[in-house]
């Protein structure tokens, strides 16, 4: 018998990120990291570096921007 | 196929059209700002509780002044620190609304502290969200009432010294000590755990609002990395290691379950009803609304000054003159000027009558008519009397004035006449009687003369509408004064 585990992912809108690092610090699985590239407004932005999201929402609630970052569930 | 688990709340506008500039999707806050975190919690709560349409979110002065860019709910911007005062008005005028006051530590803790603490003490049905970042963030990081001891800011470069600047203001502790507020909690917008606790507290505060439990306060320790000159991590560390020592997080008070839902008296807002309450016995004019005196004199403004001791009825005298003119369809202003000494000192009032709009209600020069009822008033205001002006004074207590030829001077022993009538307080009506005779040519035209006295009577009845017992005596005094001055001519 196999347990079907839910799969989650984080989507980041690069141009809305201000590179404050809050989500990076909040993530319990360390799947986010601040990149070196700059977005359209001159901020470094966060990237997804590992595919191990557990869908806890810590990054979403830590992020101060309304829609820079969102968590999705695969169904 | 993907389903959104955590994403933008519909408590926010989809696009921030009200925000000027090219950026319409994210907020104006600096990177890592705590406001953004709280905004998201609030938008989510508004959406999930389905109270967007009834919510009035009051934006403070401070970084978060632009809440109306972002929140899809009712909103109003108010002067610095006045959010709880305006909120009280909204909550009382419209008890169906949910009033949320969003304030920073400069707004709430400094300039608006009295407004805030009085609203808390009255138990207004509102929830205050207090964002505390230990500095004045918007203006660049000056010392705030909540700045920690020893904390270096722009205006405390040596660190805050409690001996000179006092200790940080503990708002939650202060409010929790009052009886009216039902819910007081302090949270921190730092780690995920703390943010979740803040979410719970915020939800509780809004539930109280919805259940009409009264005043709730939730304080949020919030990072201002840019103006603290720290990284986001350092700012969170500052909050958790330093601020929380002084401002411990936790629930200070929660008595909402023990309190019944409040209902404040509903105000009366219908203009006619307000008028009935304020002026229950207001006389209607004996003149039609279209009546206009054609006298040449009244093509110009008439400026009248009444002055005397406090208690002599100076303000009432001015009010009677103003009423008389109002009943004859003039535009009138009546402006009292009390000295700091209400009884025994000097009081005066300025009355301006005009066919046009009255420019300034203050009469301090070019006076057309001076009524002086004591010597100091005579000495003070006689120089302000215009050329060809009229002076009317109480000759029983004032020496014959020494003024230039062009002035028309009338003295009447008003105080003595009033004594004879048995009440020294009616001297003002005696003066009014004299005035009606002196001014008859000013106000009258043709057959209008017949009911001129009636207009004055109406003015007296109107002025003493709430003291019916003394109306007759004042009317008597009025005719005595009129008779007395007639003999002078």
């Amino acid at each position: 018998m196999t347990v079907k585990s839910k799969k989650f992912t984080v989507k980041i809108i690069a141009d809305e990120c201000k590179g404050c690092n809050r989500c990076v610090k909040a993530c319990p699985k360390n799947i986010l990291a601040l990149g070196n590239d700059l977005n359209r407004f001159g901020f470094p932005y966060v990237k997804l570096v590992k595919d191990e999201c557990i869908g806890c929402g810590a990054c979403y609630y830590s992020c101060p921007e309304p829609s820079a970052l969102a968590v999705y569930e695969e169904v | 196929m993907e389903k959104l688990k955590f994403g933008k709340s519909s408590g926010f506008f989809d696009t921030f059209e009200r925000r000027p500039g090219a950026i319409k999707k994210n907020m104006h806050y600096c990177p890592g700002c705590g406001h953004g975190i709280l905004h998201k919690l609030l938008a989510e709560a508004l959406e999930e509780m389905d109270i967007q349409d009834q919510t009035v979110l009051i934006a403070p002065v401070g970084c978060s002044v632009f809440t109306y860019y972002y929140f899809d709910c009712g909103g109003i911007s108010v002067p610095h620190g006045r959010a709880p005062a305006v909120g009280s008005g909204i909550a009382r005028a419209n008890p169906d609304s949910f009033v949320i006051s969003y304030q920073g530590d400069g707004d709430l803790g400094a300039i608006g502290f009295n407004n805030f603490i009085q609203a808390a003490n009255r138990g207004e049905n509102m929830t205050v969200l207090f964002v505390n970042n230990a500095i004045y963030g918007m203006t660049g990081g000056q010392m705030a009432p909540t700045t920690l001891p020893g904390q270096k800011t722009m205006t405390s470069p040596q660190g805050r010294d409690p001996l000179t600047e006092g200790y940080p203001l503990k708002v939650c502790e202060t409010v929790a000590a009052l009886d009216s507020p039902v819910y007081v909690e302090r949270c921190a917008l730092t780690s995920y755990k703390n943010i979740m606790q803040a979410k719970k507290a915020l939800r509780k505060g809004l539930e109280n609002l919805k259940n009409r439990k009264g005043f709730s306060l939730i304080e949020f320790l919030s990072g201002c990395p840019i103006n603290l000159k720290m990284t986001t991590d350092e700012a969170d560390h500052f909050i958790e290691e330093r601020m929380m020592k002084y401002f411990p997080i936790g629930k200070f008070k929660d008595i909402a379950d023990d309190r019944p839902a409040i209902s404040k008296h509903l105000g009366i807002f219908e203009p006619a009803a307000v008028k009935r309450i304020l002026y229950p016995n207001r006389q209607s004019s004996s003149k039609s609304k279209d009546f206009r005196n054609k006298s040449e004199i009244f093509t110009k403004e008439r400026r009248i000054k009444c002055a005397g001791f406090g208690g002599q009825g100076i303000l009432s005298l001015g009010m009677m003159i103003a009423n008389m003119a109002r009943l004859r369809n003039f535009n009138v202003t009546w402006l009292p000027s009390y000295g700091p000494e209400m009884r025994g000192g000097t009081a005066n009032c300025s009355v301006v009558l005009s066919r046009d709009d009255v420019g300034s209600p203050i009469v301090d020069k070019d006076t057309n008519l001076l009524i002086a009822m004591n010597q100091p008033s005579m000495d003070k205001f006689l120089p302000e009397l215009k050329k060809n002006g009229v002076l009317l004074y109480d000759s029983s207590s004032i020496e014959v004035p020494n003024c230039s030829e062009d002035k028309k001077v009338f003295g009447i022993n008003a105080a003595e006449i009033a004594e004879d009538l048995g009440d020294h307080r009616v001297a003002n009506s005696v003066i009014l009687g004299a005035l009606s005779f002196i001014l008859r040519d000013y106000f009258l035209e043709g057959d209008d003369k017949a009911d001129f006295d009636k207009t004055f009577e109406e003015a007296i009845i109107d002025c003493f509408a709430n003291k019916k017992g003394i109306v007759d005596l004042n009317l008597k005094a009025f005719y005595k004064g009129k008779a007395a001055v007639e003999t002078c001519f």
Side-chain angles (χ1 to χ4, degrees), chain B residues 415-435:
Chain B
E416 285 166 21
I417 293 173
E419 277 305 334
D420 289 347
L421 285 167
D423 191 342
H424 64 93
R425 287 176 301 179
V426 298
N428 56 355
S429 291
V430 176
I431 290 279
L432 189 71
L435 191 66

Side-chain angles (χ1 to χ4, degrees), chain B residues 51 260 262 354 398:
Chain B
I51 55 173
I262 54 165
S354 176
I398 303 178

